[in-house]
Amino acid sequence: MASEDLTAPLGLGKRRLLRLPFGLIGTGLLSVVLTTGLVWMLVVDDPLGGEPIAMVPVGTDIAGLSQRDIEVVEIRPTLEDGALGPNLRPDAASNMLGPRYDLQKHAGQNEITRVDLINPDPRVVERSAYGYLPAVSDDGIRPLDVYARPVVSEYHSVPRIAIIVGGMGLSQTGTESALGLLPADVTLALAPYGENLDRWMQQAREKGHELLLQMPMEPYDFPDNDPGPHTLLVSLTPQEMADRFNWLLTRVTNYVGVINDMGARFMATRPSLQYVFENLTKRGLMFVDDGSSSRSVAGEVAAEVRTPFSGVDVVLDAVPREDEINAKLLQLEGVARARGVAVASASALPVTVRLLEAWSRDLEERGLMLVPVSATIDR
């Protein structure tokens, strides 16, 4: 220690300059930078390493494409048979309830004639006090098999849409418009109280349409809201139910099944539905739930009784305005793309028929396929 430091008065000695360890600080900063870079390379997935990139817009124009150009790839896992879903098991075909198109021609007949289209097939009818009742033949041929519109497509994974237009026969103008404008794959539902039903049935069959019969059923506000004198009611005795049911089935021929007209209460009553479904199954017909009731148990009962069944996903013209119908059509397309199959119902109103005709023109180019409702049974 220097002597001047010892002799200097307290507090008056030389001040030392602060000496910082710059070498140590630099080493620390360099370590932090290197560690940060190493962590960045390990965590951030950036194969370009921060190089400049260019964004190129990809066109979505599908003009000129058809459903044959747009195909959904179907991936099926390799699993044991017991782990596969019901539609992937080897015995799935034996459990399918949809139509058998190979049964539509008579033995030895080369082609279906006009007479075959407009007259009931003698194999699948029986006479009753009310008229012709649909029936299953002795060798198991159902009206569903005979009258279904065949669907032939090698692209089974293309999303499919079925549309049912009801109220046929109630209005001559509306019925003629639907028959003249709608494509043949649209299913038409005949109203049991319509006039000239045989005439409309014949014209529809000649144009290739598949047919349903509307069956009036009891709503919750019956009798204030009355679907007609032969409405199926939950309070009917078995004999009354059978009489009304058979009368309705004989109103016309050449149909593949029935669809409910109203019927929110009836569709929520299991015993009544079970009676109807058992008889539909016995007569070889399908049932379509029109989708108007959120309380419907039709799907559950149909599965129990093994009735060929399909349900409506979208009601197109519950609000019969052009913008509302167009919005429902967009919703219908979304359901079809998401699930593979979608079903819609509509009325034969002029605005509905006009919009459906325009909507269906380029359906194939948009990668969708219009099918009759019988093709959606085993969806």
Side-chain angles (χ1 to χ4, degrees):
M1 181 180 294
S3 59
E4 59 270 16
D5 292 334
L6 296 175
T7 59
L10 292 174
L12 297 178
K14 285 185 177 181
R15 295 182 179 179
R16 293 184 179 182
L17 295 174
L18 182 62
R19 295 179 180 179
L20 298 176
F22 290 107
L24 182 61
I25 294 174
T27 302
L29 291 174
L30 182 60
S31 299
V32 171
V33 171
L34 292 176
T35 303
T36 302
L38 180 61
V39 172
W40 179 271
M41 288 186 291
L42 293 176
V43 175
V44 178
D45 183 16
D46 185 9
L48 299 179
E51 295 182 5
I53 60 175
M55 303 298 292
V56 179
V58 178
T60 58
D61 186 14
I62 62 171
L65 296 181
S66 68
Q67 78 173 42
R68 296 180 179 273
D69 304 307
I70 303 174
E71 174 67 12
V72 179
V73 178
E74 185 175 14
I75 301 176
R76 295 189 176 186
T78 303
L79 299 173
E80 298 296 329
D81 289 346
L84 293 175
N87 293 329
L88 301 181
R89 294 175 186 155
D91 61 346
S94 62
N95 293 324
M96 298 176 73
L97 300 175
R100 290 183 54 190
Y101 305 121
D102 59 308
L103 301 176
Q104 295 192 358
K105 293 182 180 180
H106 298 280
Q109 183 176 336
N110 294 324
E111 62 181 11
I112 299 177
T113 65
R114 179 179 181 274
V115 174
D116 298 318
L117 288 175
I118 63 179
N119 288 335
D121 191 308
R123 298 173 296 174
V124 292
V125 293
E126 67 178 39
R127 289 187 177 274
S128 72
Y130 299 114
Y132 284 121
L133 275 172
V136 178
S137 70
D138 294 337
D139 50 355
I141 302 175
R142 305 170 297 174
L144 175 61
D145 301 319
V146 173
Y147 301 132
R149 175 177 170 83
V151 176
V152 180
S153 174
E154 58 189 31
Y155 296 101
H156 296 290
S157 55
V158 172
R160 301 184 176 198
I161 294 177
I163 294 181
I164 305 163
V165 174
M168 302 296 291
L170 293 178
S171 165
Q172 179 171 335
T173 301
T175 303
E176 289 178 343
S177 176
L179 289 173
L181 295 177
L182 295 178
D185 283 305
V186 172
T187 301
L188 303 179
L190 296 162
Y193 304 123
E195 297 182 358
N196 302 315
L197 288 185
D198 284 337
R199 168 192 168 194
W200 301 127
M201 177 272 291
Q202 293 175 8
Q203 291 187 20
R205 289 279 288 163
E206 288 175 349
K207 291 180 177 292
H209 292 282
E210 187 172 273
L211 299 178
L212 292 173
L213 176 67
Q214 289 181 284
M215 184 161 284
M217 296 180 174
E218 180 180 1
Y220 278 111
D221 53 352
F222 182 86
D224 293 334
N225 192 6
D226 189 351
H230 290 84
T231 299
L232 301 185
L233 307 173
V234 299
S235 59
L236 295 177
T237 66
Q239 184 59 48
E240 291 172 334
M241 182 76 78
D243 287 341
R244 293 193 180 192
F245 182 76
N246 290 337
W247 184 89
L248 290 167
L249 290 184
T250 57
R251 291 292 292 144
V252 73
T253 60
N254 289 41
Y255 55 88
V256 298
V258 304
I259 181 172
N260 61 296
D261 179 19
M262 300 189 190
R265 182 178 183 184
F266 196 95
M267 297 286 285
T269 307
R270 187 176 291 267
S272 300
L273 268 185
Q274 185 168 351
Y275 170 86
V276 170
F277 284 9
E278 287 175 350
N279 281 274
L280 289 176
T281 304
K282 182 176 68 174
R283 298 200 171 277
L285 300 171
M286 72 176 296
F287 184 85
V288 180
D289 185 339
D290 75 350
S292 61
S293 174
S294 60
R295 302 182 184 181
S296 172
V297 294
E300 302 171 15
V301 178
E304 296 170 2
V305 183
R306 289 191 56 77
T307 301
F309 176 84
S310 187
V312 169
D313 302 297
V314 179
V315 180
L316 296 177
D317 54 359
V319 181
R321 292 204 315 263
E322 184 170 336
D323 57 339
E324 292 287 343
I325 296 173
N326 285 329
K328 290 295 185 180
L329 287 171
L330 288 177
Q331 179 186 352
L332 178 66
E333 292 188 22
V335 173
R337 296 183 191 280
R339 300 180 184 174
V341 178
V343 181
S345 64
S347 302
L349 298 173
V351 61
T352 304
V353 171
R354 175 172 53 82
L355 292 177
L356 279 176
E357 189 276 331
W359 170 82
S360 65
R361 290 174 194 167
D362 60 348
L363 194 64
E364 182 176 322
E365 296 178 2
R366 302 200 302 274
L368 298 166
M369 182 179 180
L370 194 60
V371 297
V373 72
S374 66
T376 69
I377 292 174
D378 299 309
R379 61 163 104 183

